[in-house]
Each structure stands twice: as C-alpha cells, then as structure tokens.
Amino acid sequence: MPTIEPLTLTLDELAQRWNMTPQQVLETPHTLPMYFYFDGLVFDFNDKWHRANGDAAVQQTLEAHKTRYSTLEIDLQRQTMHKRGLLKLTQWEEALSDDEIHAQQAESDRLTEEIAQLSEQLKQRAEERQRRVRNGLLRAAPRTLHDIAERGQTRFPQFAYMPHTPNKADSSIADGAVVALEDGFPLKEALTLTDLVAAMQDVRAIEDSAAF
C-alpha cells in the first residue's frame, strides 16, 4: 500500500528531512513558502473600511450628528412652548422667528435621516467584518521568516499573505494578497519556529528541481 503523504510538514520535520537545522531551512536560498495557523479576522490590506478603526470618521460624524440633533430638539421644544405662552425663555435664549424655527426643524429632519443612514452603514460594517473570519493557514511574510530565523521568534505578525486556496468559494480576498490580521484566538504574542509549517507540494517541487 502506498504511503499517504501529509499535506504539510512542520519546520522541525522538514529540517530533519533535509538534514538541516530549522534556521538553515529558513535561510535556504530555495524559495519555500512557510505558513502559520491563524484563527481570527483577516482583511485585504487595501480594505481600509473593514479594518480596525476604518469607521472612525463615520463614528465621529454620527456622534456629532447625535449631539447636534439633541441640541436642536431641546431648542425646538422650548421655542414652540414659548410661542404658545407655556414657557419663558432664559436671558441667554433668543426667541426665533417662524422661518428660523422651520429652518431648525428642517435641519433636525435631515439629521434624523443621516443618523439612521450612518447607523445602518456601521451595522452592515460590523456584520461584514464577522464574515472575514479565517480558521486556517496564512503564508508568513519574508520579514517574519527573517526575524524567526535570526531570533527563533518574532512578535505575532499583523500582516501576512493569503495562500492559494483551490475551489475557494469566497473570493473577497484574492490569493496571494497582503492581508491584515486582527483578533486572533487564542491571543498569541509571538510566532516561533514551532508555529511554522511547509506545504508538501512546495517541498516536493524544490526536491524535484535540479537546483536542490
């Protein structure tokens, strides 16, 4: 019965296979992609909207609208009651004309619509962020591998590459694209030699090449 090869090899397994140390494997001149496991949110690097704090400007606008709307509503209520003789304005308040009240009411109505639109926009963003969950391998960036080869570990990366995924149903992030990582579970502070794996097909390709 033929031996079934694993899809991946740990860095230690590959080092033993090639009679090298793990650091030597990472420093080999052969271009060997290395991967690490990630469970969290993954976003295309150019997707500024869904990445962390991408909604900051919209949130700021929404809060400003809410503050202005609250001020207008209180002022309109007081002005209306004053016109009906039900309230006396303070010395710091000025009675508004009908046109001024209508203008404020128009602004209040506009803010009501925009608050609803911005709130829905942020709600959709939050839902779409959760659809960016990835539970699988990501390709480590060259800088990440360099640091691990040099020091045995590196700070858990904020960026990596999306690996090639055959028959991928979700095409929101292109294969090979630089991706930003967020909210990894479980939270890890560092990526080490033991976290790295290589794809057997890449290993075989190098071993079958004349240069190996």
Side-chain angles (χ1 to χ4, degrees):
M1 180 179 294
T3 302
I4 300 177
E5 288 188 334
L7 295 177
T8 61
L9 291 175
T10 66
L11 183 55
D12 282 338
E13 290 172 336
L14 181 57
Q16 292 177 20
R17 182 185 179 101
W18 284 357
N19 295 317
M20 296 178 177
T21 66
Q23 285 83 357
Q24 287 174 329
V25 172
L26 294 180
E27 294 169 351
T28 180
H30 305 293
T31 304
L32 177 66
M34 299 299 296
Y35 302 88
F36 63 94
Y37 174 77
F38 181 74
D39 183 5
L41 303 181
V42 173
F43 304 93
D44 189 292
F45 179 81
N46 295 314
D47 184 359
K48 306 299 185 184
W49 169 239
H50 292 104
R51 286 174 55 184
N53 302 319
D55 61 339
V58 175
Q59 287 280 11
Q60 186 176 12
T61 300
L62 178 59
E63 292 306 314
H65 279 13
K66 286 181 176 179
T67 300
R68 175 59 179 164
Y69 173 80
S70 178
T71 300
L72 281 173
E73 283 298 292
I74 293 173
D75 197 23
L76 283 169
Q77 289 176 9
R78 293 181 62 81
Q79 290 289 338
T80 300
M81 292 178 69
H82 173 69
K83 279 190 172 296
R84 293 176 179 174
L86 301 175
L87 177 74
K88 182 178 181 181
L89 298 176
T90 68
Q91 60 180 320
W92 296 283
E93 294 177 292
E94 181 179 349
L96 301 179
S97 66
D98 289 343
D99 288 343
E100 289 172 326
I101 291 177
H102 290 155
Q104 282 200 353
Q105 184 61 59
E107 183 182 359
S108 177
D109 293 343
R110 176 182 61 80
L111 289 174
T112 299
E113 292 181 6
E114 292 186 7
I115 287 172
Q117 292 171 355
L118 292 174
S119 297
E120 179 61 25
Q121 189 177 3
L122 291 172
K123 177 184 175 183
Q124 290 180 3
R125 176 186 181 271
E127 293 173 352
E128 290 166 1
R129 273 176 58 84
Q130 294 309 309
R131 288 197 285 270
R132 301 299 198 278
V133 171
R134 179 174 179 81
N135 186 321
L137 296 176
L138 292 172
R139 181 177 175 179
R143 177 59 183 271
T144 299
L145 298 180
H146 172 77
D147 290 347
I148 293 177
E150 203 170 64
R151 299 191 294 270
Q153 67 175 29
T154 188
R155 181 178 178 182
F156 200 90
Q158 294 179 307
F159 305 101
Y161 293 99
M162 182 63 70
H164 174 71
T165 306
N167 304 319
K168 183 170 64 175
D170 180 11
S171 59
S172 60
I173 302 179
D175 290 339
V178 179
V179 290
L181 316 183
E182 292 180 28
D183 304 331
F185 300 103
L187 292 174
K188 295 187 64 173
E189 294 184 359
L191 198 68
T192 69
L193 290 165
T194 59
D195 294 310
L196 299 177
V197 300
M200 180 58 81
Q201 63 178 11
D202 295 330
V203 173
R204 280 295 188 189
I206 290 178
E207 291 176 346
D208 293 343
S209 69
F212 186 78

